Amino acid sequence: MIVLGVLISGRGSNLMAIVKAIEEGRLNARVAVVLSNRADADGLVFAREKGIDAVWVDRGAFDSQAAYESDILVALQSGGVQWVVLAGYMRILGPTILAAYPDHVVNIHPSLLPDFKGLDVPRRVLESGVSEAGCTVHLVDETLDGGRILGQARVPVLQGDTEASLSARILVEEHRLYSQVLQSLSGL
Ligand code: GRF
């Protein structure tokens, strides 16, 4: 069994899908702690309802990114976290956590990387006219959405798609893919 620490900033639907996969026996893992940089993240409420340690870490309370990440690191390490899982965490991770968890930080991104790195992906996908979209789970390094790819899922871009309809189609695949890739990590 692998021990996960999940970093979020908002809705937390990927967190919820991971917890569901654990409950249904599709993922042999335990979520030791959920950390959010936003106090009002829905994912924090969900985690608390599930009895998972859920912590808001306020970046504004720290003088530097390093001090902020050190605080997160203490929570991860005291929870025995083996893999750091970014799930809609809207901050760039700095060297403090990456150095403590080399090749053990993963992220999910709503595009077929290396295409469409960064923010606002569905809008850019639609504007580009490509016929295929998807999502990627990858290792996190110091580059933006740039670490080694661990898994991808594809969806079609359909005629008449809006940002909302395309995002929803990708999100269904995100929820399936993330747990599947995490399960493959548990065998490492
Ligand atoms: C997802 O689309 C994920 O790919 C991106 O941020 C979104 C998070 O959604 N990194 P949620 O908070 O897991 O619902």
Side-chain angles (χ1 to χ4, degrees):
M1 170 183 319
I2 52 172
V3 182
L4 310 176
V6 183
L7 269 59
I8 61 168
S9 297
R11 182 175 59 178
S13 72
N14 278 286
L15 165 69
M16 293 172 198
I18 289 166
V19 169
K20 187 159 184 260
I22 293 170
E23 288 174 350
E24 292 178 358
R26 289 179 283 118
L27 172 57
N28 185 22
R30 183 169 66 81
V31 178
V33 61
V34 173
L35 296 137
S36 171
N37 64 311
R38 299 207 33 175
D40 60 354
D42 289 340
L44 283 178
V45 177
F46 168 81
R48 288 184 188 122
E49 280 169 8
K50 289 287 178 185
I52 300 168
D53 198 13
V55 186
W56 167 44
V57 185
D58 179 9
R59 170 66 182 87
F62 298 90
D63 290 341
S64 66
Q65 172 77 359
Y68 162 74
E69 287 203 355
S70 294
D71 201 67
I72 293 176
L73 190 55
V74 168
L76 294 170
Q77 289 177 331
S78 61
V81 167
Q82 297 166 319
W83 285 89
V84 180
V85 176
L86 308 187
Y89 180 64
M90 298 303 288
R91 292 190 63 90
I92 306 266
L93 217 61
T96 307
I97 292 171
L98 290 176
Y101 283 96
D103 288 338
H104 279 66
V105 182
V106 292
N107 182 42
I108 189 155
H109 182 76
S111 81
L112 296 170
L113 290 174
D115 295 339
F116 301 104
K117 295 178 180 182
L119 296 174
D120 219 2
V121 177
R123 183 182 60 74
R124 290 191 286 133
V125 166
L126 290 175
E127 283 173 4
S128 76
V130 292
S131 60
E132 204 173 37
C135 53
T136 303
V137 176
H138 63 96
L139 288 180
V140 176
D141 61 17
E142 62 291 340
T143 63
L144 177 69
D145 299 324
R148 182 155 70 84
I149 291 172
L150 301 176
Q152 289 187 314
R154 295 167 182 275
V155 301
V157 178
L158 301 178
Q159 240 183 9
D161 255 342
T162 61
E163 289 178 41
S165 64
L166 179 59
S167 298
R169 191 175 310 116
I170 295 170
L171 198 61
V172 169
E173 289 305 310
E174 289 189 34
H175 293 164
R176 193 186 54 72
L177 180 70
Y178 218 169
S179 300
Q180 189 183 315
V181 170
L182 291 172
Q183 177 61 22
S184 74
L185 299 176
S186 74
L188 296 182

